[in-house]
Amino acid sequence: MSPVLAGVLQLTALIAALALAYRPLGDHMAAVYTSPKHLRIEKAVYRCIGADADTQMRWPAYLRGVLAFSAVGVLFLYLLQRVQGGMPLSLGFASISPDQAFNTAASFVANTNWQSYSGEQAMGHVVQTAGLAVQNFVSAATGMAVAIALVRGFARSRTGELGNFWADLVRGTVRVLVPIAVLGALVLVACGAVQNFSGIHEVGQFMGGSQQTNGGAVASQEVIKELGTNGGGYFNANSAHPFENPDAFTNLFEVFLILVIPFALTRTFGKLVGNVKQGYAVLATMGIIWLGFTALMMWSEFAHGGPALQAAGAAMEGKETRFGIGGSSIFSVATTLTSTGAVDSFHSSFTAFGGGIQLLGMMLGEIAPGGVGSGLYGMLVMAIIAVFIAGLMVGRTPEYLGKKIGTREIKLAACYILITPTLVLGFTAVSMVLPDALGSMLNTKALGAGSHGFSEVLYAFTSGANNNGSAFGGLNANTPWYNTTIGLAMLLGRFLPMVFVLALAGSLAEQKPVPETAGTLRTEKPLFAGLLVGTILIITGLTYFPALALGPLAEGLS
């Protein structure tokens, strides 16, 4: 079987699996977030945290819950790393330095999971399981809660109420993430992923000599790392490590875990607003972009442009032979179009245009299908922008799902889409003029290091501000400058957009629905899906094209 055919068959199998899971999972999540009853374990959690899960919150109260919970998470994870050296099961690792502890705490709480450390050489079992793995669950549940709050803004009329953050957080964790994670971990263990609390062992090598390796609760963290679109690996090699991702089947299974909730949330959206066709329109938009990017990535990598790659016969440098070009391309697009950041290959080793596709996927705002929760609310904000543009074309007041898009709504949507580019381009520009920041490029003497080195820095801040977490490689990010600035980019890129999303949700929930007329734009039709795709690509292109031209485009054309 040719590598191209193998890649196409993998993609076909993935689409079929996602299609089978779409309706049942989407309907289940709709039932979870509308259920009037609380499970016994949920009631116990509410008592422990002192929350009244039946109280309806307006957007300021909902936002305070999100920010307070996340701030406590950052503080707890920071302190856990700082005292690691004195804890049991630390594997003899020292406590983490202040700047790196801040970077890691911000990273995992913000659902970014950017790692400026080697997992198997820095983090003990307690930090990995009680700190990082826990944040993988609750940061994902937080994103889902904010998305559901925005959907309620469309669904509710003249109340201004968005539900209860604590109930949404706990239900998303207990009823959605944990059950799927348990089943997924069993699949990974059955396929060879590691799950233990082993210490460090000296292992012999085939060619002589030895190396140290350690185990850990890998399978359980791997599954929520993918399912919650987190991305932080137990090992430095991330999902390229055989303990995390043993073979081609687990590779495709992990891609399925990455995509299944973001895609299924469009079904949940349709059910909650009372029109499943609206969910299908959003799904179609996400699917068109995802399939288009996957096809472009596979073409770019199978074409293996460039004299060195053509001489070698394939773009296999930096990729695992057990996954191949097809599997690596599918995984790469899935992680950069979502806020996952997991990698099964070395992104810096992709062709120049392949690296540009990865960058562009994150620059879209990771909305196709995007992160767990963040992908849906990002796409809905873009839908508001698209409706506004359509209204300008025909001279009508824009409406979406029966709600008028007025001055307040469009200002909030505009602020949302401006935050990330400001962070990415601002921090990248400053890094380009600081000698210490430039000194972190490890390949400054390589051919094309100018454009490629710029791509490394641009990728780092794009990954951080978009809460992705993957790295281009070739950049030493474990410095005070990058630890601090990327940490700030992750926090601001995660929580500032949530401020505007929840304010937008509150504004919509206060409105009275507008009756549909003959002049109302039909947002469930293919025409609107096409308009939405065009809006996303044009806004992103106008924003980032100069930066892309200096980086991957310049390298690819050189």
Side-chain angles (χ1 to χ4, degrees):
M1 182 185 298
S2 71
V4 176
L5 178 59
V8 171
L9 291 177
Q10 288 183 65
L11 183 60
T12 303
L14 175 62
I15 294 172
L18 291 169
L20 289 173
Y22 177 73
R23 288 192 62 171
L25 181 56
D27 291 347
H28 171 67
M29 289 190 289
V32 164
Y33 289 110
T34 56
S35 173
K37 297 181 180 180
H38 304 296
L39 301 180
R40 184 175 299 178
I41 187 174
E42 294 170 352
K43 293 178 181 179
V45 174
Y46 300 144
R47 285 195 296 270
C48 289
I49 62 177
D52 182 359
D54 295 314
T55 300
Q56 289 291 309
M57 295 178 172
R58 299 175 74 86
W59 80 264
Y62 204 101
L63 176 62
R64 285 195 297 270
V66 171
L67 296 180
F69 177 75
S70 301
V72 171
V74 171
L75 180 61
F76 173 77
L77 189 52
Y78 175 84
L79 293 176
L80 194 64
Q81 295 174 83
R82 295 291 294 133
V83 301
Q84 174 180 250
M87 291 192 303
L89 298 177
S90 66
L91 300 178
F93 297 141
S95 297
I96 308 300
S97 64
D99 60 297
Q100 192 172 53
F102 163 73
N103 181 279
T104 303
S107 173
F108 277 77
V109 173
N111 197 244
T112 309
N113 298 61
W114 170 272
Q115 295 173 285
S116 60
Y117 61 89
S118 299
E120 66 268 45
Q121 298 176 2
M123 301 295 183
H125 292 320
V126 174
V127 174
Q128 290 272 24
T129 55
L132 307 184
V134 168
Q135 284 303 322
N136 282 349
F137 280 97
V138 295
S139 65
T142 299
M144 294 167 65
V146 173
I148 295 299
L150 179 57
V151 174
R152 291 192 185 116
F154 286 108
R156 295 185 176 181
S157 172
R158 308 192 72 172
T159 65
E161 296 173 343
L162 304 179
N164 186 285
F165 168 69
W166 305 108
D168 293 339
L169 173 72
V170 174
R171 287 183 177 191
T173 303
V174 172
R175 301 194 198 183
V176 180
L177 296 173
V178 170
I180 302 176
V182 170
L183 295 175
L186 293 175
V187 172
L188 290 180
V189 170
C191 293
V194 171
Q195 183 73 14
N196 57 45
F197 286 103
S198 171
I200 297 177
H201 299 283
E202 198 80 18
V203 180
Q205 297 177 314
F206 288 112
M207 302 300 292
S210 64
Q211 68 180 42
Q212 289 185 335
T213 185
N214 55 283
V218 178
S220 57
Q221 185 163 326
E222 183 74 9
V223 67
I224 189 57
K225 152 190 152 181
E226 314 294 17
L227 181 66
T229 60
N230 296 284
Y234 207 99
F235 300 97
N236 189 46
N238 206 279
S239 292
H241 199 291
F243 286 2
E244 292 191 23
N245 192 4
D247 54 36
F249 170 77
T250 59
N251 190 64
L252 201 62
F253 179 65
E254 290 185 13
V255 177
F256 169 80
L257 291 173
I258 292 169
L259 299 174
V260 66
I261 291 182
F263 274 130
L265 274 171
T266 62
R267 172 78 178 182
T268 304
F269 160 66
K271 295 281 287 187
L272 292 183
V273 298
N275 188 343
V276 294
K277 290 183 179 180
Q278 297 288 347
Y280 288 138
V282 175
L283 172 68
T285 304
M286 292 178 172
I288 289 169
I289 296 174
W290 172 64
L291 282 174
F293 271 64
T294 302
L296 283 173
M297 179 64 82
M298 293 179 73
W299 169 80
S300 173
E301 295 305 298
F302 279 120
H304 43 77
L309 296 175
Q310 290 172 1
M316 278 301 296
E317 198 275 327
K319 298 182 179 69
E320 288 290 320
T321 55
R322 65 185 190 276
F323 305 143
I325 294 176
S328 299
S329 298
I330 294 170
F331 199 105
S332 170
V333 172
T335 60
T336 50
L337 276 176
T338 63
S339 61
T340 310
V343 295
D344 72 345
S345 53
F346 197 58
H347 283 190
S348 187
S349 293
F350 276 65
T351 61
F353 292 130
I357 293 168
Q358 294 163 350
L359 267 169
L360 184 59
M362 293 185 291
M363 289 170 174
L364 291 180
E366 297 178 321
I367 53 177
V372 168
S374 61
L376 178 61
Y377 65 66
M379 182 61 79
L380 293 179
V381 170
M382 295 303 299
I384 289 173
I385 298 292
V387 167
F388 176 73
I389 292 173
L392 292 177
M393 290 188 208
V394 299
R396 283 183 54 87
T397 301
E399 303 167 8
Y400 186 53
L401 300 177
K403 299 296 179 73
K404 285 188 176 181
I405 308 303
T407 303
R408 175 178 170 80
E409 288 76 24
I410 205 64
K411 284 180 178 178
L412 292 169
C415 289
Y416 175 93
I417 64 174
L418 288 172
I419 291 169
T420 305
T422 301
L423 294 171
V424 171
L425 299 177
F427 280 127
T428 300
V430 174
S431 297
M432 287 294 99
V433 298
L434 294 179
D436 289 343
L438 290 173
S440 289
M441 298 180 189
L442 303 181
N443 59 353
T444 53
K445 295 182 180 180
L447 181 64
S451 56
H452 193 82
F454 176 79
S455 296
E456 292 170 356
V457 178
L458 178 64
Y459 192 107
F461 286 110
T462 302
S463 178
N466 284 283
N467 302 129
N468 182 273
S470 64
F472 214 36
L475 179 73
N476 176 24
N478 187 18
T479 66
W481 167 256
Y482 284 111
N483 277 332
T484 303
T485 54
I486 294 176
L488 290 173
M490 290 186 290
L491 290 175
L492 295 174
R494 173 70 165 178
F495 296 109
L496 275 182
M498 286 184 174
V499 173
F500 297 112
V501 167
L502 291 173
L504 177 61
S507 178
L508 294 170
E510 291 172 353
Q511 292 188 29
K512 182 180 179 179
V514 179
E516 186 175 303
T517 67
T520 301
L521 177 65
R522 301 297 297 273
T523 54
E524 78 280 11
K525 297 293 185 179
L527 176 63
F528 179 73
L531 173 65
L532 184 51
V533 171
T535 300
I536 293 167
L537 295 178
I538 290 171
I539 289 176
T540 305
L542 291 174
T543 304
Y544 288 107
F545 180 77
L548 290 171
L550 292 173
L553 291 178
E555 182 184 359
L557 295 173
S558 63

